[in-house]
Structures are given as C-alpha cells and as structure tokens.
Amino acid sequence: MDDTLQLEVHDLVVPVLTGVYSHETHLPQPLRISITADVDCPLHFAPDAPLGASKNYVDLRRAATSALPEGVHFTLIEGVADHIIETLMLQDSRVRWVKVKIVKLAIAERGESIGITLVRHRR
C-alpha cells in the first residue's frame, strides 16, 4: 500500500449562484465548503523538503473560491462539488481522491447542517 498525504481545508464560506427554486436563483447563496484531498507523497519529508514535495493546500482553497466560474449558476450543489474535484485532479496527477462537503447555510432553520458530500477517486 502506498503512502498518501491528506490535505484539508475546512469551513470555507463561499457565495455561489446555486439553487433550483425561484427564491434561490437570483443571488449567490452562502455555502460552507470543506475539502480533503488524498495525495501521493514521498517516503519521507526532510526538514528542508521543498513545497513541491507536497501539494500546496492553498490550491484546495482556490478550487473552492477563485476557480469557481464567476456568474455561472449551478443548479445543484453537487455540480459545485464536481467542479472543485475536477479542478484539483486536473491540476495535479498526484491527487488520488477528493472529498468535498457542502452545506447550504441559507436553508438551515435551527443551526443544522443540510448538504452533500461527494467523493471521487481518480480512474
């Protein structure tokens, strides 16, 4: 079994045009996005290992923020998660799988988390 490294970015709040219902389709909705990416890694990380020995976790944040196309309406939040995963897998062949959890903050009534988790493995 190969060693892997899991990079994580959790609880980003990102305004995204998404939704099915008419009251959801005019303005961006706040989504809470968490990402975990499983990445191939070297056998050891020396104290002076360069950033290239790992994947920059800032790439995960960018995939959920600036890499989302501006002005595009995602009918389903599953489409948002899919776009984030595709962005990360296209960037770096070392990414083995990605898990994206999205919570729709605008529909919570009592602080509950309502959303989806999408996990995709590299084929």
Side-chain angles (χ1 to χ4, degrees):
M1 183 177 247
D2 295 330
D3 294 339
T4 58
L5 171 69
Q6 289 189 344
L7 282 78
E8 301 180 22
V9 173
H10 293 284
D11 301 324
L12 295 168
V13 176
V14 182
V16 179
L17 284 169
T18 185
V20 176
Y21 303 109
S22 61
H23 65 276
E24 297 179 311
T25 59
H26 302 296
L27 296 171
Q29 289 188 55
L31 303 179
R32 184 180 321 123
I33 302 174
S34 296
I35 306 167
T36 302
D38 202 61
V39 180
D40 291 338
C41 69
L43 290 176
H44 300 283
F45 287 98
D48 61 347
L51 180 57
S54 181
K55 178 160 183 58
N56 192 337
Y57 54 83
V58 173
D59 291 340
L60 277 67
R61 182 178 58 197
R62 285 186 189 131
T65 57
S66 60
L68 288 175
E70 193 172 323
V72 172
H73 180 269
F74 291 88
T75 304
L76 302 175
I77 58 174
E78 289 86 338
V80 177
D82 189 73
H83 189 278
I84 292 167
I85 290 170
E86 289 299 311
T87 298
L88 292 169
M89 287 194 166
L90 287 172
Q91 275 179 357
D92 195 328
S93 63
R94 296 175 298 168
V95 175
R96 298 285 102 210
W97 62 261
V98 179
K99 176 171 78 172
V100 176
K101 179 178 180 177
I102 299 178
V103 174
K104 290 182 81 170
L105 297 173
I107 64 172
E109 294 178 2
R110 294 179 188 91
E112 69 274 22
S113 293
I114 300 170
I116 61 103
T117 300
L118 179 62
V119 178
R120 176 143 315 126
H121 297 262
R122 184 176 293 281
R123 293 176 169 78

